[in-house]
Coordinates of all heavy atoms in Angstrom, one line a residue:
F46 N 31.4 14.7 0.4 CA 32.1 14.8 1.7 C 31.2 14.7 2.9 O 31.6 15.0 4.0 CB 32.9 16.1 1.8 CG 33.6 16.5 0.5 CD1 33.2 17.6 -0.2 CD2 34.7 15.7 0.0 CE1 33.8 17.9 -1.4 CE2 35.3 16.1 -1.2 CZ 34.9 17.2 -1.9
E47 N 30.0 14.2 2.7 CA 29.0 14.2 3.8 C 28.8 12.8 4.4 O 27.9 12.7 5.3 CB 27.6 14.7 3.2 CG 27.7 16.1 2.7 CD 26.6 16.6 1.8 OE1 26.1 15.7 1.1 OE2 26.3 17.8 1.7
D48 N 29.5 11.8 4.0 CA 29.2 10.4 4.5 C 29.4 10.3 6.0 O 28.7 9.5 6.6 CB 30.1 9.4 3.8 CG 29.7 9.1 2.4 OD1 28.8 9.8 1.9 OD2 30.2 8.2 1.8
S49 N 30.3 11.1 6.6 CA 30.5 10.9 8.0 C 29.6 11.7 8.9 O 29.7 11.6 10.1 CB 32.0 11.3 8.3 OG 32.2 12.7 8.0
L50 N 28.6 12.4 8.3 CA 27.7 13.1 9.1 C 26.7 12.2 9.7 O 26.2 11.2 9.0 CB 26.9 14.1 8.2 CG 27.8 15.2 7.5 CD1 26.9 16.2 6.7 CD2 28.6 16.0 8.5
V51 N 26.4 12.4 10.9 CA 25.4 11.5 11.7 C 24.1 11.6 11.0 O 23.6 12.7 10.7 CB 25.3 11.9 13.1 CG1 24.3 11.0 13.8 CG2 26.6 11.8 13.8
P52 N 23.4 10.4 10.7 CA 22.2 10.5 10.0 C 21.1 11.3 10.7 O 21.0 11.2 12.0 CB 21.8 9.0 9.9 CG 23.1 8.2 10.0 CD 23.9 9.1 10.9
A53 N 20.4 12.0 10.0 CA 19.3 12.9 10.7 C 18.3 12.1 11.4 O 17.9 11.0 10.9 CB 18.7 13.8 9.6
G54 N 18.0 12.5 12.6 CA 17.0 11.7 13.4 C 17.6 10.6 14.1 O 16.8 9.8 14.7
C55 N 18.9 10.5 14.2 CA 19.6 9.3 14.8 C 20.7 9.8 15.7 O 21.1 10.9 15.7 CB 20.2 8.4 13.7 SG 19.0 7.7 12.6
T56 N 21.1 8.9 16.6 CA 22.3 9.1 17.4 C 23.3 8.1 17.1 O 23.0 7.1 16.5 CB 21.9 9.1 18.9 OG1 21.3 7.8 19.2 CG2 20.9 10.2 19.3
T57 N 24.5 8.3 17.6 CA 25.6 7.3 17.4 C 26.2 6.9 18.8 O 26.0 7.6 19.7 CB 26.7 7.8 16.5 OG1 27.4 8.9 17.2 CG2 26.2 8.3 15.2
D58 N 26.9 5.8 18.8 CA 27.7 5.4 19.9 C 29.0 6.2 20.0 O 29.3 7.0 19.0 CB 28.0 3.9 19.9 CG 29.0 3.5 18.8 OD1 28.7 3.9 17.6 OD2 29.9 2.9 19.0
A59 N 29.7 6.1 21.0 CA 30.9 7.0 21.2 C 31.9 6.8 20.1 O 32.6 7.8 19.7 CB 31.5 6.7 22.6
E60 N 32.1 5.6 19.6 CA 33.1 5.3 18.6 C 32.5 5.4 17.2 O 33.2 5.1 16.2 CB 33.7 3.9 18.8 CG 34.5 3.8 20.1 CD 35.1 2.5 20.3 OE1 34.8 1.6 19.5 OE2 35.9 2.3 21.2
Q61 N 31.2 5.8 17.1 CA 30.5 5.9 15.8 C 30.5 4.6 15.0 O 30.6 4.6 13.8 CB 31.1 7.1 14.9 CG 30.9 8.4 15.5 CD 31.0 9.5 14.5 OE1 31.8 9.4 13.5 NE2 30.2 10.6 14.6
K62 N 30.4 3.5 15.7 CA 30.3 2.2 15.0 C 28.9 2.1 14.4 O 28.7 1.4 13.4 CB 30.6 1.1 16.0 CG 32.0 1.0 16.4 CD 32.9 0.5 15.3 CE 34.4 0.3 15.8 NZ 35.2 -0.2 14.7
I63 N 27.9 2.6 15.1 CA 26.5 2.4 14.7 C 25.8 3.7 14.8 O 26.2 4.7 15.5 CB 25.8 1.3 15.6 CG1 25.7 1.8 17.0 CG2 26.5 0.0 15.4 CD1 24.8 0.9 17.9
Y64 N 24.6 3.8 14.2 CA 23.6 4.8 14.5 C 22.4 4.1 15.0 O 22.2 2.9 14.7 CB 23.3 5.7 13.2 CG 22.9 4.9 12.0 CD1 21.6 4.4 11.9 CD2 23.7 4.8 10.9 CE1 21.2 3.7 10.8 CE2 23.3 4.1 9.8 CZ 22.1 3.5 9.7 OH 21.7 2.9 8.6

Side-chain angles (χ1 to χ4, degrees):
F46 318 111
E47 297 162 333
D48 282 10
S49 59
L50 301 183
V51 177
C55 300
T56 57
T57 67
D58 66 312
E60 296 182 351
Q61 290 201 329
K62 292 288 187 181
I63 62 169
Y64 55 75

